[in-house]
Amino acid sequence: MTTVSDAEKIILSQAKDYGSELIPFENALGRVLAEALTADRDLPPCNRVTMDGIAISHAAFESGIKTFRIIGTMPAGVQPIEITNPNECVEIMTGAALPDTTDTIIRYEDIEIKNGIATLLTDKITKGQSIHYKGKDKKQGDVVAPANEYITPAHISMAASVGKSMLLVKKLPKVVIISTGDELVDVTERPTPYQVRRSNSYAVKAALQQHGLHADTLHIPDEPNETRTQIEKCLTQYDVIILSGGISMGKFDYVPQALEELKVEKLFHKVEQRPGKPFWFGAHASGVLVFAFPGNPVSTFMCLHRYFLPWLKKSLISPSPLGEGRGEALYAILNEDITFSAPLQYFAQVKLKRCKHGHLHATPIEGHGSGDFANLLNTDAFIELPLEQSVFKKDEVYPIWPFKNIF
Ligand code: AMP
Ligand code: MG
């Protein structure tokens, strides 16, 4: 059997670059930038006024002038109006370009305006106040966002500001999620008491959707020829095949045999872990990767978050500034003792809570094994407990693999 850490290493060593593509910036949220974003001009592009008020020459104020004749009013976005006399000023709004003949802004709160004359109500005036100077944030050509980062709303805002209507992003692998099992019926069907509705493929599809990846789904029956034929077709059409079910010791588990017959090289089968022990992983000579997860919904869910998503992240962002696999994991403090003595690495389901000091605390909620998918709704993450120990004490800190948004 393979250890969790070896399984992780093997999977991460199969990270692949799927190239890049240009897409409209508005659709790029959650994708990974494949090019650096640069400023197409200085930011800000002019000396930008940051308060509503008047623009004056500081030298005029220094010479003792306290009243200024308003020669015009400037909204943002217009060509500046210039003063020709020190006792003149321009009424000016936030975001407007500062006239070259002025150098200081006095906000409305510090002036009184009567009959077109502004009178200063304060003498605390600093030259250059309330001005955001041209190029202060970024110079034309400066990198505003490096490549190899997830695109966030701040990136979308910057792309809009610098006029990048199309962004070069990392291509996502083409993924198919295959469910297996004759006991499974479609969501719209009424199952007999001996059947269950398919849920794994929808769970995986939804988790991938959160990463901007839209996968296809397929269901195959527990029949060896059909299993082989369908997987064979997928090997020609996809970059990654995620399977659920059919990989254990059961009489109707035909997946490993079909994969072997299709010459998908087995890189490991069975991991020293609970849940998810029967996990099978392999690669075809064509480059297609096969993640075959056990069918129990909690096992599929755990393997997806512990192995597939870190693999996806490494394939898209390499090298990752946060580390890889377990290196990028978040950590939480156990709130209660856990005892687990089987010689397997235990991934306990936990409810997370952030305390007032900002630390994450994990309360175990055990559930009833890997078939108890209802427990996934009571919990937020798997906590990864080391194989070498069987008692895990309150206040000890371990890595977590969240499957819900914890922020
Ligand atoms: P298997 O790994 O095929 O032996 O399946 C293990 C358990 O997971 C069985 O109880 C299956 O009914 C269940 N299972 C397998 N695939 C799914 C699925 N797509 N949705 C819900 N349950 C599943
Ligand atoms: Mg099955």
Side-chain angles (χ1 to χ4, degrees), residues 43-72:
L43 290 177
C46 62
N47 294 328
R48 184 181 151 265
V49 169
T50 65
M51 284 284 184
D52 300 322
I54 57 168
I56 64 162
S57 151
H58 191 262
F61 163 74
E62 268 191 328
S63 73
I65 299 174
K66 294 280 160 63
T67 58
F68 296 87
R69 191 167 66 81
I70 298 170
I71 60 155

Side-chain angles (χ1 to χ4, degrees), residues 240-381:
V240 177
I241 299 175
I242 297 178
L243 280 136
S244 83
I247 53 160
S248 304
M249 307 291 285
K251 226 167 175 171
F252 305 97
D253 291 340
Y254 298 116
V255 171
Q257 186 196 327
L259 291 168
E260 202 174 305
E261 287 168 13
L262 293 167
K263 307 233 167 352
V264 182
E265 187 194 350
K266 178 177 82 184
L267 297 175
F268 62 75
H269 186 191
K270 297 199 174 87
V271 180
E272 287 175 1
Q273 61 183 10
R274 183 176 297 163
K277 187 166 131 198
F279 180 17
W280 191 107
F281 176 71
H284 190 256
S286 62
V288 180
L289 296 177
V290 179
F291 293 77
F293 299 146
N296 266 311
V298 178
S299 309
T300 293
F301 216 59
M302 193 285 275
C303 290
L304 182 79
H305 288 84
R306 178 63 183 88
Y307 300 103
F308 179 80
L309 293 179
W311 169 85
L312 179 65
K313 190 166 178 190
K314 188 176 176 196
S315 294
L316 298 174
I317 299 191
S318 196
S320 167
L322 294 175
E324 283 162 6
R326 184 166 160 187
E328 58 156 346
L330 293 170
Y331 287 78
I333 305 163
L334 263 188
N335 251 356
E336 286 169 23
D337 293 359
I338 297 181
T339 303
F340 181 80
S341 43
L344 298 170
Q345 186 148 352
Y346 187 38
F347 287 83
Q349 291 169 69
V350 293
K351 182 97 196 142
L352 295 172
K353 203 171 172 194
R354 202 178 283 282
C355 72
K356 63 177 187 223
H357 306 295
H359 300 137
L360 277 177
H361 290 264
T363 306
I365 301 182
E366 200 171 354
H368 306 106
S370 48
D372 181 5
F373 49 90
N375 201 46
L376 294 173
L377 295 168
N378 301 328
T379 51
D380 302 311

Side-chain angles (χ1 to χ4, degrees), residues 180-184 222 244-247 252-253 295:
T180 68
D182 285 349
E183 74 282 24
L184 303 174
D222 288 328
S244 83
I247 53 160
F252 305 97
D253 291 340

Side-chain angles (χ1 to χ4, degrees), residues 3 16 18 73 93 127 173 194 212 227 304 307 369:
T3 61
K16 291 191 184 353
Y18 292 97
T73 303
M93 306 304 136
K127 186 174 176 185
Y194 323 108
T227 301
L304 182 79
Y307 300 103

